[in-house]
Amino acid sequence: MTLPNRAKLVDVGPRDGLQNEKQAVPAEVKIGLVHRLQEAGLKEIEVTSFVSPKWVPQMADNAEVMHGIERRAGVRYSVLTPNMKGFEAAIAAPREEWPDEIVVFGAASEAFSQKNINCSIAESIERFRPVAEAAREKGIFVRGAMSCTVGCPYEGEIAPERVGMLAKLMKGIGVQHVGVADTIGVGTPVKVRRALEATLAHYAVDEVSGHYHDTYGQALSNTLASLEMGIWQFDTSVGGLGGCPFAKGATGNVATEDVVYMLQGMGIETGIDLDLLIDAGVYINQALGREPNSRVSKAIRTKRAN
Ligand code: HMG
Ligand code: MG
């Protein structure tokens, strides 16, 4: 078995991590989080989403956050844009404040597509098509998130064929990279592997990432199973923040700290400074009045204190 010798982590904490928080997090705190993540060595950060403020009030300050971040060379800044309205809002700012990458987000489950973005899978693809076209024309990279690739809170288990169908549709409209998401964290290694295999029928291994929520504590195992297939890109969330407001019962993404610790222990290069990352997780959790939801963070902070 050959494992990748490096991995890229996309910290989705400022977006996936905060979108589900009931308390309003000030834009300056979100900006402070992005700054701490890039200081820790993250090479891609999912900053915010250009969605309806009625649906996700926490992301209403999207333009303010994009305006406030001080960019660092070599870091990619991505945002979610579900339709042309969102894409146009994301590029309404001066060129230097545009995202480097936009994310269209669909689902392998019809019911979840309706709950999350208020349209069917087929309709969502028609909404994404002009977004992908306009973004590529402007030199902005296009990623696709594929939700509920293992299980759906409304439909139950999802067959890998449906994941393959969605990946094919994404490919057909020019989406350059897809993330295989276990939105509600019900996946176990064999099931996640099947969802990845279905995706790999349409995308190369370098164009696929894993996005695993940790509701059932399986995300690290699923990450390892993915690495064994050659997948080397993962979305993770500092302090284990996260969850989708439209996915009942879903909790946070796998903690970036936990994944970095595992990868470091396996000799897989991430370029991330674990101590600075732990500080970033403490920073945002203090703002939320909580402890980071990361075993590694807890263990290392306990060790630091003694
Ligand atoms: P809709 O109601 O079907 O849209 O919503 P519409 O085109 O009919 O417009 C209705 C209203 O929304 C109008 O305003 C539009 O202007 C406005 P009104 O006239 O009523 O005042 N509107 C917008 N406003 C701001 N930005 C926009 C936008 N589009 C329309 N882009 C829509 C469709 C997608 C907008 C809505 O359903 C929505 O915002 N949903 C939120 C979805 C979301 O953010 N979900 C969480 C992120 S996805 C996720 O977490 C999963 C992921 O992590 C992977 C995983 O774990 O599975 C990525
Ligand atoms: Mg998610």
Side-chain angles (χ1 to χ4, degrees):
M1 177 180 50
T2 324
L3 289 166
N5 53 21
R6 70 180 177 108
K8 176 183 166 188
L9 302 187
V10 177
D11 201 292
V12 298
R15 195 281 303 171
D16 203 334
L18 296 179
Q19 70 183 9
N20 208 21
E21 291 297 331
K22 296 285 169 283
Q23 51 179 310
V25 179
E28 59 180 278
V29 172
K30 295 172 181 166
I31 294 164
L33 174 60
V34 171
H35 289 165
R36 282 164 177 78
L37 290 171
Q38 59 193 20
E39 184 66 29
L42 267 299
K43 290 289 175 283
E44 180 165 343
I45 302 168
E46 211 171 84
V47 179
T48 185
S49 56
F50 287 83
V51 298
S52 162
K54 285 185 192 148
W55 283 61
V56 189
Q58 186 66 261
M59 296 286 118
D61 58 2
N62 42 31
E64 192 184 346
V65 174
M66 287 302 278
H67 175 71
I69 54 178
E70 274 178 38
R71 298 199 182 198
R72 186 174 274 229
V75 177
R76 197 188 271 202
Y77 302 89
S78 47
V79 303
L80 266 56
T81 57
N83 53 17
M84 278 308 285
K85 189 174 170 83
F87 178 72
E88 277 156 13
I91 60 160
R95 178 75 185 88
E96 61 274 14
E97 291 176 24
W98 287 6
D100 303 298
E101 177 177 310
I102 54 105
V103 185
V104 291
F105 48 104
S109 140
E110 282 293 349
F112 186 75
S113 181
Q114 289 290 353
K115 294 265 189 205
N116 195 37
I117 50 175
N118 205 23
C119 62
S120 69
I121 297 171
E123 284 163 348
S124 75
I125 294 296
E126 291 318 310
R127 288 183 184 183
F128 302 156
R129 189 190 300 275
V131 177
E133 217 167 86
R136 291 188 68 170
E137 201 178 286
K138 293 197 155 32
I140 299 174
F141 191 84
V142 181
R143 175 154 56 94
M146 305 198 297
S147 289
C148 297
T149 61
V150 184
C152 167
Y154 312 104
E155 291 185 17
E157 197 146 330
I158 299 293
E161 294 72 41
R162 295 169 67 186
V163 181
M165 271 166 52
L166 179 62
K168 188 176 176 196
L169 291 170
M170 291 274 192
K171 187 82 183 177
I173 57 165
V175 171
Q176 294 163 281
H177 176 114
V178 283
V180 174
D182 182 7
T183 312
I184 52 170
V186 290
T188 44
V190 173
K191 288 180 184 170
V192 166
R193 220 175 256 153
R194 288 197 188 118
L196 288 169
E197 274 161 9
T199 305
L200 290 168
H202 306 282
Y203 281 91
V205 73
D206 294 342
E207 300 169 335
V208 176
S209 51
H211 175 114
Y212 307 134
H213 285 262
D214 203 24
T215 321
Y216 288 79
Q218 304 298 304
L220 274 183
S221 314
N222 294 337
T223 303
L224 178 59
S226 311
L227 287 164
E228 287 171 356
M229 293 175 69
I231 302 289
W232 55 278
Q233 300 174 86
F234 300 95
D235 296 347
T236 61
S237 183
V238 70
L241 298 168
C244 176
F246 311 104
K248 213 173 37 185
T251 63
N253 295 82
V254 63
T256 312
E257 297 91 321
D258 295 2
V259 176
V260 168
Y261 179 84
M262 181 180 90
L263 294 171
Q264 281 183 352
M266 295 170 72
I268 299 174
E269 183 56 45
T270 63
I272 295 170
D273 180 317
L274 184 53
D275 280 310
L276 290 179
L277 179 66
I278 287 170
D279 295 343
V282 170
Y283 164 81
I284 188 62
N285 276 281
Q286 267 172 357
L288 295 168
R290 287 203 295 264
E291 279 289 301
N293 186 16
S294 154
R295 304 268 281 267
V296 166
S297 170
K298 190 174 181 190
I300 292 181
R301 284 181 295 117
T302 305
K303 207 166 151 194
R304 273 183 195 167
N306 295 321

